Amino acid sequence: MADTRHAGVRKAVEAGPLRRWQIITLVLCVLINISDGLDTSSVAYAAPSILREWGVGARAMGLVFSVGAAGLVCGALFIAPQADRVGRRTIILGAVAANSLSMLATAFIHSVELLLLLRFVTGLGIGALVPSLSVMVVEFSTERRGNIFLALVHVGFAIGAMLGAAVGALLIGPFGWQAIFIFAGLVSLVLTIVAFWLLPESLNFLLTRQPRNALARANILLARLGEPPLDALPPREAEGKRRAGLLHTILAPRYRTLTLLLWLAAFSRYFVSYFLTQWKPQILVLAGVTPELAIASGIVTGGAAILGALLMGTVAATVGARRATCASFMLCAASLVLFGVVEAEPVLLLAVAGLALFAIEATFTGVVITSTRFYPPEFRTTGVGFTIGVGRFGAIAGPYLGGALLAMGLDRSFVYPVYAAVCGVGAVAIMIGFTRRGAERHAPA
């Protein structure tokens, strides 16, 4: 009986209206991801000043970028899954708090070694937050509005990157590169305090994992939903059954080929996106753009990225996620080639960079939509989670290769076509994989 009631509760959340406390929870998740974008982008906008002040080379800074991306991978693959054991709220609070401390500490260091350590810690927190926030958004929103809020969470990251550009442009000149890290750390600290008081635990987690006082805590949330309280918790699933079918399931023969192609597409997206995000300011400076304008360019390109993420959902619904994702991959490739050959005219360079960011962020949304439609509901979160987690290895390789190529003295006319070719690989992976008959059965888009 309790198990039937549990299913009814889930239906009530998915089909019912959004209450004020649900909206507060969803908005808080979006705000936290905005801080993630700020934390991630801050080192990119501080990089030109750090390079000058510390006298380090491009290869060292490329390693800093890649270590941060390595933290993202480790956070997504090793820390985020712990949310299923200790709770979404616990992981989110811990990750935001860790980010605030690491960002504030970065403002007071003077060595590349400490910068590497702190960027890895920051990456761990952000890597753990993205999957946890996505799950919270799905579990606290209605079925009709869930995708909208997921898109807003993704857009929040781009807004954070724009905020980083604005803060960098305003503060780094008069106050030094440390100012952007202090600002970002304080933002995360404030959100930690707000989340501690306002962020509830997931109802689904309370009913399935059943931690201490789960029934009482679940009934508080049910009262907020206007649902009658539970007399008892539903039967708890056996541990072995709960863990069965994660990586093994999505790599079973029925799904293996398409799973690997999705991973390749996600890897390609992260490879290009993180190169653009981390190295764009420095490459613009090398092309003759002033450091202040190079930093402020993040506002323009961040706005383009937001537009790309929002429009992908509409376009995918019209022409299909596979076609829209392939088109955005190819548009990004064309933009990168163009960026490599156009004259060093600031307005033109910024316009082309904005187009590239528009396309690559649309691509990410398309990859997530394609992944969501491919995997069945019983292990959809696992499939999407591993697609993002494995794709993040591209976030390690992309910036590091960029630093190596620049350290060799190669200019943008060579570097950017290399990344355009990677976009082509992603487009082919989506197109080949999702024209297969098996993909069409599972992914009607």
Side-chain angles (χ1 to χ4, degrees):
M1 179 66 181
D3 193 42
T4 302
R5 178 73 209 288
H6 178 206
V9 166
R10 294 178 63 184
K11 292 289 186 183
V13 174
E14 292 174 356
L18 279 175
R19 274 100 174 155
R20 184 177 65 177
W21 69 274
Q22 288 174 277
I23 295 174
I24 292 174
T25 299
L26 296 170
V27 169
L28 185 54
C29 289
V30 173
L31 290 175
I32 291 173
N33 215 37
I34 289 175
S35 75
D36 286 352
L38 174 60
D39 293 347
T40 300
S41 66
S42 58
V43 71
Y45 299 116
S49 298
I50 293 175
L51 287 170
R52 289 194 308 270
E53 184 175 318
W54 290 1
V56 298
R59 191 182 298 273
M61 190 54 65
L63 183 60
V64 170
F65 294 154
S66 293
V67 163
L72 290 173
V73 174
C74 293
L77 295 181
F78 301 117
I79 297 180
Q82 301 307 311
D84 287 330
R85 296 182 57 196
V86 302
R88 285 70 156 128
R89 170 186 157 88
T90 301
I91 291 298
I92 290 172
L93 287 177
V96 179
N99 282 357
S100 68
L101 294 176
S102 64
M103 294 298 289
L104 290 171
T106 301
F108 300 96
I109 63 173
H110 301 89
S111 71
V112 173
E113 291 77 15
L114 286 176
L115 183 59
L116 288 169
L117 174 62
L118 291 173
R119 290 313 296 175
F120 182 76
V121 172
T122 302
L124 284 176
I126 296 171
L129 277 170
V130 174
S132 301
L133 291 171
S134 298
V135 171
M136 285 287 275
V137 166
V138 169
E139 293 178 347
F140 275 98
S141 58
T142 63
E143 186 174 9
R144 184 167 62 91
R145 294 186 175 94
N147 287 339
I148 297 174
F149 279 100
L150 277 174
L152 289 175
V153 167
H154 182 208
V155 166
F157 197 90
I159 293 174
M162 289 178 63
L163 181 60
V167 170
L170 290 173
L171 299 183
I172 288 178
F175 301 107
W177 59 266
Q178 295 87 348
I180 192 171
F181 291 102
I182 292 175
F183 179 85
L186 291 176
V187 169
S188 293
L189 181 60
V190 169
L191 286 173
T192 301
I193 297 170
V194 174
F196 179 81
W197 290 106
L198 297 182
L199 189 70
E201 184 52 88
S202 159
L203 179 62
N204 187 64
F205 171 79
L206 293 173
L207 295 179
T208 55
R209 185 69 186 183
Q210 301 177 12
R212 180 178 298 182
N213 298 323
L215 181 60
R217 294 165 68 187
N219 282 334
I220 291 173
L221 294 181
L222 289 174
R224 293 180 178 180
L225 287 169
E227 291 288 316
L230 290 171
D231 296 325
L233 293 170
R236 189 172 179 179
E237 209 172 57
E239 184 72 12
K241 183 179 179 181
R242 282 195 328 110
R243 293 192 176 184
L246 294 178
L247 183 59
H248 179 269
T249 300
I250 62 177
L251 290 177
R254 183 179 182 185
Y255 301 102
R256 182 185 303 135
T257 299
L258 297 176
T259 291
L260 294 175
L261 288 170
L262 270 173
W263 289 0
L264 179 58
F267 179 93
S268 300
R269 179 267 169 185
Y270 274 104
F271 189 93
V272 174
S273 177
Y274 270 70
F275 163 74
L276 291 175
T277 301
Q278 304 286 7
W279 278 111
K280 173 175 55 63
Q282 181 65 13
I283 288 176
L284 287 172
V285 169
L286 293 175
V289 176
T290 65
E292 293 76 15
L293 184 57
I295 293 174
S297 70
I299 300 174
V300 176
T301 55
I306 291 172
L307 186 60
L310 291 176
L311 287 182
M312 172 54 76
T314 302
V315 175
T318 303
V319 304
R322 174 180 58 83
R323 293 184 181 90
T325 305
C326 288
S328 62
F329 262 127
M330 297 312 298
L331 177 60
C332 185
S335 303
L336 294 175
V337 171
L338 184 60
F339 189 93
V341 300
V342 297
E343 296 182 3
E345 207 287 317
V347 174
L348 183 58
L349 286 175
L350 291 179
V352 177
L355 183 61
L357 264 296
F358 167 87
I360 202 63
E361 291 306 316
T363 296
F364 177 67
T365 304
V367 168
V368 172
I369 292 173
T370 303
S371 180
T372 301
R373 294 199 177 186
F374 170 58
Y375 294 110
E378 55 266 28
F379 54 88
R380 181 172 291 156
T381 302
T382 297
V384 175
F386 272 95
T387 297
I388 295 173
V390 172
R392 285 195 185 278
F393 284 100
I396 302 173
Y400 185 77
L401 177 62
L405 293 176
L406 291 173
M408 293 169 60
L410 299 171
D411 62 18
R412 56 192 171 92
S413 65
F414 180 89
V415 174
Y416 272 70
V418 170
Y419 287 83
V422 176
C423 284
V425 171
V428 170
I430 290 290
M431 182 60 72
I432 290 179
F434 289 85
T435 53
R436 293 166 62 96
R437 185 175 303 170
E440 292 172 355
R441 286 199 303 269
H442 298 291

